[in-house]
Amino acid sequence: MLFRRIFFRWIQAATIVLPVWLVVGWAVFGGGGWGTLGLIITVPVTFISLAVIALLTSIRPTVRETRAVSWADVGILGAWHAAIVAFGFSGPAMASFAVLAIALALVAFWYAIVQLVRDGAKRMQEQMAEYERLAQAGSVPRTDAGGSPSVQQPYDLGEVIVVEERHRED
């Protein structure tokens, strides 16, 4: 549970850390002129995709309650983040890691959507079951201490003053 909670915090930090890593990796490991153009496009797209998926993951009811992601989240998001880190090394396999990072981003996005819908549906089913249970409990006739049905007395408001409005006709 501790690792999944740490990873929950990491997915928010990764929104900033991984795009910065792409810039640092380009500067350290050398990127050409085309690399600069690619970097100008890649960094904002990476930031936005990381932010959207972190948001979709964070708003899931089970993640909000436990402040921890699931093991499937750790696997999918961890693989995606590792592909982004590998892409930042700007080596000969950079194109392969770029394709892998894009594919894993799509998988992570759709996984986050599906999990959000499933958790929401599960939460709604639990709420409806509780509502049905309470509705059933409210329809049972009330009994007094002796077990015979009790008659519910109307609520007494006490003394009521009624003010009527009259219009004068001239």
Side-chain angles (χ1 to χ4, degrees):
M1 183 71 137
L2 178 64
F3 182 75
R4 293 185 302 137
R5 285 187 178 186
I6 291 170
F7 197 82
F8 172 72
R9 297 208 187 278
W10 162 250
I11 63 173
Q12 280 112 25
T15 303
I16 302 297
V17 172
L18 292 178
V20 168
W21 162 246
L22 293 176
V23 173
V24 169
W26 174 83
V28 171
F29 298 106
W34 287 110
T36 305
L37 179 62
L39 195 66
I40 290 171
I41 295 168
T42 304
V43 170
V45 169
T46 303
F47 170 77
I48 291 169
S49 62
L50 285 165
V52 166
I53 293 171
L55 177 68
L56 289 173
T57 303
S58 298
I59 64 174
R60 251 184 11 229
T62 55
V63 173
R64 279 184 300 156
E65 287 174 1
T66 61
R67 307 299 280 170
V69 294
S70 68
W71 284 110
D73 289 324
V74 171
I76 292 170
L77 296 176
W80 180 37
H81 292 177
I84 293 172
V85 169
F87 175 69
F89 283 109
S90 300
M94 185 174 85
S96 301
F97 285 118
V99 170
L100 180 63
I102 291 169
L104 286 171
L106 292 172
V107 168
F109 175 76
W110 286 109
Y111 175 77
I113 292 286
V114 167
Q115 289 302 312
L116 180 62
V117 169
R118 282 186 183 167
D119 276 4
K122 181 180 174 188
R123 175 65 55 96
M124 183 57 86
Q125 287 174 346
E126 290 171 357
Q127 291 295 324
M128 290 305 293
E130 179 67 15
Y131 176 77
E132 290 293 327
R133 186 188 68 76
L134 291 174
Q136 291 296 328
S139 66
V140 176
R142 296 184 180 156
T143 59
D144 59 8
S148 61
S150 64
V151 178
Q152 190 173 11
Q153 299 297 325
Y155 184 72
D156 183 18
L157 293 175
E159 207 171 304
V160 177
I161 299 174
V162 178
V163 178
E164 292 183 14
E165 183 178 343
R166 295 187 187 180
H167 296 288
R168 273 201 242 172
E169 293 183 25
D170 292 334

